[in-house]
Structures are given as C-alpha cells and as structure tokens.
C-alpha cells in the first residue's frame, strides 16, 4: 500500500461532525454540531424555489456572482461602518470553513507561526497543519476568558505571521471588547502581521456585549482578513456560503487559492441568498432577540438542574462542567469523549467534548448549543435533568 501524506497523520476527523454522526445513530437530541433545527426565513426559501426554475445552474464567477458580492458588500459595509468594494475586496467561498483555510493558505508559508487562542474552534488546528503553519497558543482564561496581551506581543516578537481571532468566540462565547481588539491590532501593525478573524456569529451577541469589527478599527483594514459566512445569520448552514473581506492585494491572491481549491460556491444558492442579504435591520434585531431568549431559557434550565456552566456573551454555545461526574471512581479513566458518547446512549443528548477545543489538558467541559426550537430545548433539558440519575446508575453497574 503506498504511503499517504504525513500531514493527514497529524489530525483526526472533526470531533464536532463525528458527534453528529453518533447522535444520528442513536436518535438523540443533537446539541453537538452547531446548526439550527428551524428553517431559513420564508423569503429565502421562496426565492430558492424560483431560482430552481429560473437558474442560474452553471458556474458563477469563481470569486462570487457579481450581484451576490454587491449585496454582501452593502450589507457588511453597513454593519462594519466602512465601504467595501465588491470588485476587489471580497472573495466568496464555500462556507466559513473554506474562507479560513483559504486565508491561511494565502498568507502562510510552511513553518510560519500563527497565534491561536485556546479554547479554539477545532478547524483552526487542521487549517494550520494543512497550510504548514505552526500554532502558538494563547490561553483564554476562564471564567471571563480574558488573555494576557503580553503573550500576544511575545508571539509577534517570535515572528508570528498572524493571529486568528474568533469573535464571538466558539466554543467559549467570549465577545472581544474594543480595547482587546485594539491591543491585538496595534501589535499586529507594529510587527507587520495579519489579524485573521472568524466572525460567523457576528449577529449573535447579547446585550450589553457589542460586536466590534476588527477590520473597521482605525487604520486596520490592510491588516485584517475577515472570514465570515451566511450559515448562522440566515440559518442556511447547508448552503455553504462564506467569504473573506480584506485589502485588495490580499484578496487578489486569496481568489487564486480559492479558484483552485473549489472553483466557486454554488451559483443557485448565491442567487437565492441575495434575498437574505437585502433584508432590513429588523431581521438582525429579531435574530438577536430570538437567540437571547434561547440563551436565557437554556441557561436557566441548566441552573435549575444544577449543572455548572458559563453564560455566553455571544454565539449559541454553552460550556457545561462535568468535572463532578468524572471525579467519581467509576469514571476516573474516562475521557470527556467517552462521557459524551455515553451521554448520547444513556441520556439521549449529544454534546462535543471540550478537549477538542483546548490546547491545555482540559477534560471536564462539554459544549452544548441552543440553536433549537423551544420544544426540543425543553426536552433536552428534561433529559439532562436525568444526567445525575444516569451517572448513579452507571456507578452501580460499575461495582
Ligand atoms: N461551527 C459549528 C460548530 O462549531 C459547526 C460548523 C461545522 O461543522 N462546519 O459546531
């Protein structure tokens, strides 16, 4: 058997996506991989049906259909408070996943160092390996997930080419403050490096937190590659529509990478999604209110059950502390992954083990998401309320 590349030995499949497959196998409630169980806005679905009849059905322009890019530039420029040129400052990708991979391949040479906050969205680990970059991890320290800016300075002094900032942050729900972003950005400018942001949860930010766009900070546009997607904002994770916004010279290079990676995002879906991009401010306000209510409902439920958890300022993820269970003798050799698989089978709720997000040896957290309808969330909380009982039963079986 011929040898495979050494790079594929360096990472596993995505644990997030694996949990969904195991969850489906046991017909559990999926609070692992983050995607909504409710449909996209009706206007988008109607437009999609029309596009099925009218087209387009052939390739769009590789870096994005002109009308899609124009609508995107307008919507995003409005929120960022800076005009974006759709002709030169955007490349449309197949989801936020390709946006990040493409950004990394555009700016990194093999061996380049890139700073990544830990905990981090697991894709960045594979992105670094596939682009040849060497991660330097900067801890986000609970309970507030603050960080030591000196470490960021040190990373840049050690030659880091870029820093990845997931804001709002998956999985810890941190929303970076203006000051934190300014500190990071000033260092990036000083050391002539890039800030690569992942802002797919930009509209899921809960008061009093506010989303600040790093690219829109004074003097920063030339240093920031903003990776983003329509998945979360319009509940269309399966449409795989993402993009990078950045300075023209970088986007020109990113368009080449993207062209040879995937040629382009699906033309009919770009066409249909224009309907989402042209919706008014009310849509984003309603979305924020809906998710605020879900967050409060879910966190209150966890409190009633007595499970310890963080309260996210953004995103739809909550980290739940399972340390008290794993400390019991019966569970002492279990990993958090073992616990999540057991929880799918015995409690009927799927979560993602925290260890897939942390560089540090963290084994006591699991990530749940609340992008579910109220009935499903209620049922999930009901099942989770039986977690202590299921743990006790497991302990009895152990003896
Ligand atoms: N961002 C989502 C999560 O963290 C899933 C994204 C994906 O699987 N592509 O669960």
């Amino acid at each position: 058997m011929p040898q495979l590349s050494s790079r594929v030995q360096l990472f596993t499949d995505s644990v997030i996506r694996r949990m969904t497959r195991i969850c489906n196998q046991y017909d559990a409630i999926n609070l692992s991989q983050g995607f909504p169980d409710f449909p996209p806005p009706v206007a988008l679905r109607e437009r999609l049906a029309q596009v099925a009849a009218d087209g387009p059905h052939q390739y769009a322009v590789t870096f994005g259909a002109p009308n899609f890019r124009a609508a995107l530039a307008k919507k995003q420029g409005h929120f960022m408070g800076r005009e974006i040129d759709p002709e030169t400052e955007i490349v449309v990708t197949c989801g936020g996943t390709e946006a990040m991979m493409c950004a990394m391949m555009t700016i990194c040479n093999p061996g380049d160092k890139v700073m990544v906050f830990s905990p981090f969205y697991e894709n960045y680990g594979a992105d670094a390996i596939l682009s040849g970059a060497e991660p330097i991890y900067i801890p986000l320290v609970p309970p507030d997930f603050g960080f030591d800016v000196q470490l960021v300075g040190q990373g840049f002094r050690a030659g880091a080419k870029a820093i990845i900032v997931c804001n709002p942050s998956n999985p810890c729900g941190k929303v970076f403050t203006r000051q934190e972003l300014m500190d990071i950005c000033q260092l990036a400018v000083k050391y002539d490096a890039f800030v690569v942001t992942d802002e797919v949860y930009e509209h899921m930010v809960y008061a009093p937190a506010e989303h600040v766009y790093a690219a829109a900070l004074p003097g920063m546009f030339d240093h920031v590659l903003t990776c983003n997607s329509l998945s979360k904002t319009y509940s269309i994770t399966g449409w795989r529509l993402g993009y990078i916004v950045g300075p023209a010279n970088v986007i020109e290079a990113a368009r080449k990478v993207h062209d040879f990676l995937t040629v382009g995002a699906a033309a009919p879906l770009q066409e249909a999604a224009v309907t989402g991009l042209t919706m008014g401010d009310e849509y984003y306000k309603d979305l924020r209110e809906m998710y605020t209510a879900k967050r409060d409902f879910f966190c209150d439920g966890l409190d009633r059950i007595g499970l310890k958890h963080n309260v996210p300022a953004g995103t739809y993820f909550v980290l739940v502390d399972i340390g008290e269970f794993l400390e019991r003798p019966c569970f002492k050799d279990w990993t958090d992954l073992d616990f999540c698989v057991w929880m799918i089978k015995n409690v009927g709720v799927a979560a993602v083990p925290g260890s897939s997000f942390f560089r540090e040896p963290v084994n006591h957290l699991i990530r749940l998401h609340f992008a579910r309808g109220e009935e499903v969330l209620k049922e999930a909380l009901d099942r989770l309320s039986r977690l202590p009982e299921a743990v006790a039963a497991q302990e009895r079986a152990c003896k």
Side-chain angles (χ1 to χ4, degrees), residues 14 16-17 32-35 97 121 123 170 200-201 232 240 316-317 352 357 367 369:
S14 150
I16 297 177
R17 272 115 34 212
S32 60
Q33 187 182 18
F35 60 89
T97 297
Y121 175 45
N123 277 35
N170 177 3
V200 307
Y201 302 99
K232 274 66 183 185
R240 314 306 305 124
Y316 45 48
F317 301 112
V352 182
F357 304 104
R367 193 198 74 177
H369 80 83

Side-chain angles (χ1 to χ4, degrees), residues 242-294:
Y243 59 97
I244 311 174
V245 169
N249 59 332
V250 183
I251 292 298
E252 191 183 349
R255 285 177 172 183
K256 289 192 288 183
V257 175
H258 156 75
D259 193 359
F260 288 104
L261 274 176
T262 61
V263 178
L269 299 177
Q270 291 187 54
E271 180 64 38
V274 170
T275 302
L277 293 168
T278 46
M279 289 192 297
D281 282 352
E282 201 62 17
Y283 174 75
Y284 305 96
K285 191 171 152 273
D286 291 350
L287 186 81
R288 185 165 21 247
E289 278 170 13
M290 176 187 74
Y291 275 111
T292 304
K294 285 189 189 304

Side-chain angles (χ1 to χ4, degrees), residues 118 336 353-356 358-365:
S118 169
D336 53 355
S355 58
S356 39
F358 281 86
R359 170 65 175 169
E360 301 79 16
V362 167
N363 194 40
H364 68 288
L365 297 173

Side-chain angles (χ1 to χ4, degrees), residues 92-154:
V92 176
T93 58
C94 298
T97 297
E98 191 209 334
M100 181 57 72
M101 188 71 243
C102 178
M104 295 281 284
M105 291 184 88
T106 302
I107 61 176
C108 290
N109 282 314
D112 278 347
K113 295 184 179 71
V114 169
M115 281 183 275
V116 178
F117 288 103
S118 169
F120 58 95
Y121 175 45
E122 63 171 359
N123 277 35
Y124 310 153
D127 291 338
I129 292 163
L130 289 170
S131 62
E134 222 177 85
I136 299 177
Y137 294 95
I138 310 288
L140 290 175
V141 185
D144 298 329
F145 297 102
F147 61 95
D148 182 352
V149 73
Q150 309 268 4
L151 293 179
V152 177
Q154 262 174 39

Side-chain angles (χ1 to χ4, degrees), residues 167-189:
N167 181 34
S169 213
N170 177 3
C172 68
K174 175 187 176 67
V175 173
F176 284 75
T177 63
R178 180 174 299 270
Q179 189 57 50
E180 286 175 325
L181 289 173
M182 298 261 276
D183 289 347
I184 294 169
C185 287
Q186 274 162 7
L187 286 165
V189 172

Side-chain angles (χ1 to χ4, degrees), residues 272-335:
V274 170
T275 302
L277 293 168
T278 46
M279 289 192 297
D281 282 352
E282 201 62 17
Y283 174 75
Y284 305 96
K285 191 171 152 273
D286 291 350
L287 186 81
R288 185 165 21 247
E289 278 170 13
M290 176 187 74
Y291 275 111
T292 304
K294 285 189 189 304
R295 178 197 65 163
D296 294 345
F297 180 80
F298 193 62
C299 288
D300 288 352
L302 292 174
D303 288 340
R304 271 198 306 280
I305 297 168
L307 290 170
K308 279 188 276 174
H309 63 89
N310 70 323
V311 178
T315 76
Y316 45 48
F317 301 112
V318 178
L319 292 170
V320 173
D321 192 332
I322 52 154
E324 58 169 317
F325 304 124
L326 285 187
E327 277 162 17
R328 315 265 180 99
C330 173
F331 294 88
K332 73 174 191 323
D333 296 326
W334 288 34
T335 63

